[in-house]
């Protein structure tokens, strides 16, 4: 049994290719931000994970000093800070990726 493409599928493919070509042409027009932008982005993501982790550990050390017990607040808050930092980085990268792949509402007719 042969599967044939419908007319809707045949007309949708060229439109999809046209959208991707337009996106690539627009990306070529935009200036390349360079290596410093990439390094800055990596640093921003690293710090967005490191700062909550270190703050959690510092607060945990203080809590362990003030309220000694069988549980380690340091370890618990270190892990909580790490999870919060990873979520923060994941959210930021997702937002940047959506903005990068988003089509503008007004297309240039250049």
């Amino acid at each position: 049994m042969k599967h044939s493409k419908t007319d809707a599928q045949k007309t949708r493919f060229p439109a999809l290719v046209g959208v991707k070509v337009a996106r690539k042409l627009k990306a070529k027009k935009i200036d390349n931000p360079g290596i410093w932008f990439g390094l800055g982005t990596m640093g921003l993501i690293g710090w967005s994970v490191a700062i909550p982790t270190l703050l959690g550990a510092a607060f945990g050390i203080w809590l362990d000093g003030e309220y000694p017990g069988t549980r380690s607040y340091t370890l618990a808050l270190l892990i909580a800070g790490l999870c919060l930092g990873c979520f923060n980085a994941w959210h930021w990268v997702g937002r940047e990726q959506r903005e990068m792949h988003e089509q503008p509402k007004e297309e240039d007719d250049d």
Side-chain angles (χ1 to χ4, degrees):
M1 178 180 228
K2 280 187 165 181
H3 294 285
S4 63
K5 292 183 178 179
T6 65
D7 288 337
Q9 288 174 330
K10 289 179 185 177
T11 58
R12 192 172 28 186
F13 180 71
L16 181 63
V17 170
V19 167
K20 289 188 178 193
V21 167
R23 186 184 310 152
K24 283 189 177 190
L25 289 173
K26 183 180 177 196
K28 284 185 179 182
K29 287 182 184 178
I30 297 173
D31 290 337
N32 190 359
I35 192 164
W36 293 111
F37 179 77
L39 290 173
T41 302
M42 286 191 306
L44 179 67
I45 293 170
W47 283 110
S48 71
V49 174
I51 289 174
T53 303
L54 293 174
L55 288 175
F59 187 57
I61 290 170
W62 179 79
L63 281 175
D64 281 338
E66 292 292 317
Y67 306 103
T70 59
R71 295 188 176 102
S72 172
Y73 291 112
T74 304
L75 183 60
L77 291 176
L78 178 104
I79 292 171
L82 180 64
C83 291
L84 179 67
C86 288
F87 177 75
N88 184 25
W90 173 66
H91 178 71
W92 186 81
V93 168
R95 186 182 70 214
E96 290 295 318
Q97 187 170 7
R98 277 192 306 275
E99 287 177 7
M100 187 171 57
H101 291 291
E102 205 172 65
Q103 282 290 74
K105 293 184 181 184
E106 291 182 15
E107 300 241 345
D108 293 331
D109 293 330
D110 296 338

